[in-house]
């Protein structure tokens, strides 16, 4: 089938990245400003009952699972071409984010970073090098890269297109992760299992695609895998984030609920397909990777120079300013950096001999995911 853009996937990306942006803006209000009688309401909304940031990130993971395993071109060198495509989709915009971030933090907060930390972050492999992220939101890119590596390995072994591969992987991860969360009292083990939970979201995205587009799986596969995924998420988050709520800011309900709600929203969108597409969110979805990378720095500038007051109208204006400025800056970086880089990467790929299945354009995260 010819490559084709799926508007409902872009809509999901738009919902995902706006959820992240709004969460981060509300966190600034709750953490750094007096909210008086509204404190409990705002804090509970984003810290106790639902973490909209994690909800958005997990939606990105589902989209990656829906898209990435089907992005290997039918060419003479599919793994090489896939790697080139992923590199030019991720790295130029990511490097631009680092440059803008360094300038922003120096100009606004007079903050600098060690050269060794910057160099490690330029590779996007800082987690594996045991070097801190320059900014916390980069953690999602590590999961994205890990998923790429897993997909390449499965593709090379001839397993990626096998009917039950994703089902078997998700079941194994979910059962093992749930057992570890219940039986092992080790925070390091929980952190590793959280990476497994994020990967399982991606494989559930593939299972949903195999059901609604490829038709190789049935809804019973989706139901069983979703149930195991939800059990894994709730159990792990209870161990990982349970405890003293006010000290941790986030609680198990907010994180676990984000994982489960993201699954339900994604499955609903996939089930109804293009009927769920909405143009304004789809537009944001097109530039969602840039929004994810640039919005934290747009927020720093807005917070420092355009704060309008410590009251509900001021908070609402701040969120609106952050969203609007993030979209504007990201549209610029998408047009000037991300889109040209993707086009250049296409020129470096080998000639295609066949066309592969539907692949929505701009299969980025988000989130970078």
């Amino acid at each position: 089938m010819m490559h084709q853009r799926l508007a409902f996937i872009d809509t999901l990306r738009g919902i995902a990245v706006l959820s992240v942006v709004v969460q981060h803006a509300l966190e600034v209000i709750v953490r750094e400003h007096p909210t008086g009688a509204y404190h409990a309401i705002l804090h509970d909304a984003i810290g106790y009952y639902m973490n909209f940031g994690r909800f958005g990130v997990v939606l990105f993971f589902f989209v990656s699972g829906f898209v990435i395993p089907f992005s290997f071109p039918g060419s003479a060198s599919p793994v090489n071409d896939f790697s080139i495509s992923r590199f030019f989709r991720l790295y130029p915009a990511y490097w631009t984010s680092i440059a803008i971030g360094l300038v922003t933090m120096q100009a606004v907060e007079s903050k600098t970073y060690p050269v060794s930390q910057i160099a490690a972050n330029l590779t996007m492999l800082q987690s594996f090098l045991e070097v801190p992220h320059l900014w916390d939101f980069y953690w999602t890119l590590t999961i994205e890269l890990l998923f790429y590596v897993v997909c390449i390995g499965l593709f090379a072994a001839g397993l990626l297109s096998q009917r039950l591969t994703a089902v078997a992987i998700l079941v194994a991860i979910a059962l093992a992760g749930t057992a570890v969360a219940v039986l092992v009292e080790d925070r390091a083990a929980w952190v590793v299992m959280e990476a497994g939970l994020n990967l399982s979201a991606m494989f559930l995205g593939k299972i949903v695609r195999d059901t609604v587009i490829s038709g190789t799986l049935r809804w019973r596969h989706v139901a069983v895998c979703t149930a195991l995924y939800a059990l894994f998420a709730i159990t792990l988050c209870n161990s990982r984030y349970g405890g003293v709520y006010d000290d941790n800011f986030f609680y198990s309900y907010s994180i676990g609920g984000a994982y489960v709600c993201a699954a339900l929203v994604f499955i609903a969108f996939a089930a109804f397909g293009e009927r769920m597409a909405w143009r304004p969110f789809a537009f944001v979805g097109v530039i969602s990777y840039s929004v994810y990378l640039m919005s934290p720095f747009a927020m720093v500038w807005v917070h420092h120079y355009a704060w309008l007051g410590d009251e509900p109208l001021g908070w609402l204006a701040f969120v609106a300013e952050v969203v609007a400025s993030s979209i504007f800056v990201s549209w610029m970086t998408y047009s000037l950096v991300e889109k040209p880089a993707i086009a250049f990467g296409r020129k470096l790929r080998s000639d295609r001999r066949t066309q592969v299945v539907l692949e929505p354009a701009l299969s980025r995260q988000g989130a970078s995911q």
Side-chain angles (χ1 to χ4, degrees), residues 182-196:
V182 172
L183 301 175
V184 178
E185 291 291 333
D186 186 337
R187 192 168 188 83
W190 296 339
V191 172
V192 172
M193 288 301 101
E194 188 169 17

Side-chain angles (χ1 to χ4, degrees), residues 34-102:
T35 48
Y38 297 96
H39 179 82
I41 297 173
L42 288 172
H43 190 185
D44 286 355
I46 63 173
Y48 193 84
Y49 294 110
M50 174 59 71
N51 185 314
F52 295 98
R54 186 61 64 98
F55 166 81
V57 164
V58 177
L59 265 186
F60 275 126
F61 290 156
F62 278 110
V63 169
S64 288
F66 193 90
V67 171
I68 297 303
F70 303 89
S71 299
F72 289 86
S75 65
S77 304
V79 171
N80 183 63
D81 290 343
F82 172 84
S83 300
I84 290 172
S85 173
R86 296 303 107 189
F87 178 88
F88 283 98
R89 286 179 186 273
L90 291 185
Y91 275 90
Y94 172 70
W95 289 333
T96 303
S97 169
I98 289 178
I100 290 176
L102 292 174

Side-chain angles (χ1 to χ4, degrees), residues 40 62 93 172 193 213-214 216 241 244-245 274 290 301 320 327 359 361:
F62 278 110
M193 288 301 101
I213 291 185
S214 303
T216 56
Y241 296 99
V244 182
Y245 165 53
E274 296 296 80
S290 284
W301 288 97
I327 292 174
E359 178 194 359

Side-chain angles (χ1 to χ4, degrees), residues 187-357:
R187 192 168 188 83
W190 296 339
V191 172
V192 172
M193 288 301 101
E194 188 169 17
L197 176 60
N198 293 323
L199 287 175
S200 70
M202 292 171 164
F203 279 107
L204 184 53
K206 182 183 186 303
I207 291 166
V208 171
R209 174 167 180 145
D210 286 338
T211 301
V212 299
I213 291 185
S214 303
T216 56
L217 295 177
R218 298 292 179 263
W219 282 107
R220 63 177 180 272
H221 297 103
V222 175
V224 171
C225 290
T226 302
L228 289 174
Y229 159 86
L231 176 64
F232 180 19
I234 293 169
T235 305
L236 180 64
C237 290
N238 183 60
S239 298
R240 174 104 163 82
Y241 296 99
V244 182
Y245 165 53
D246 287 330
D247 288 348
N248 297 338
F249 194 85
F250 303 121
Y251 197 60
S252 60
Y253 299 145
S254 67
I255 306 295
Y259 276 96
V260 175
C261 287
L264 297 177
V265 168
F266 179 81
I267 291 170
F269 268 71
F272 289 98
E274 296 296 80
R275 286 173 288 178
M276 301 295 286
W278 191 26
R279 187 176 296 273
F281 280 98
F283 166 75
V284 178
V286 169
I287 62 172
S288 59
Y289 183 49
S290 284
V291 176
Y292 184 79
L293 292 175
M294 308 304 166
S295 60
F297 310 118
M299 184 164 58
V300 170
W301 288 97
V302 170
H303 185 222
H304 190 80
Y305 293 106
W307 180 256
L308 297 179
D310 291 315
E311 75 286 328
L313 286 179
W315 303 333
L316 181 62
F318 172 67
V319 173
E321 288 172 336
V322 169
V323 170
S325 62
S326 296
I327 292 174
F328 175 73
V329 170
S330 301
W331 175 74
M332 295 289 290
T333 57
Y334 169 76
S335 300
L336 298 175
V337 178
E338 189 179 348
K339 188 176 180 180
I342 293 170
F344 180 75
R346 289 198 183 107
K347 294 179 181 179
L348 299 180
R349 295 165 62 177
S350 59
D351 292 336
R352 294 188 176 189
R353 296 183 301 184
T354 60
Q355 291 280 3
V356 274
V357 295

Side-chain angles (χ1 to χ4, degrees), residues 99-136:
I100 290 176
L102 292 174
V103 170
T104 296
M105 301 311 290
Q106 170 64 38
V108 179
E109 299 186 2
S110 300
K111 188 173 182 179
T112 59
Y113 301 85
V115 173
S116 59
Q117 185 182 9
I118 296 171
N121 274 255
L122 287 172
T123 69
M124 208 185 287
L125 302 174
Q126 57 269 21
S127 292
F128 304 106
L129 300 173
E130 297 185 347
V131 174
H133 297 291
L134 284 170
W135 300 284
D136 288 342

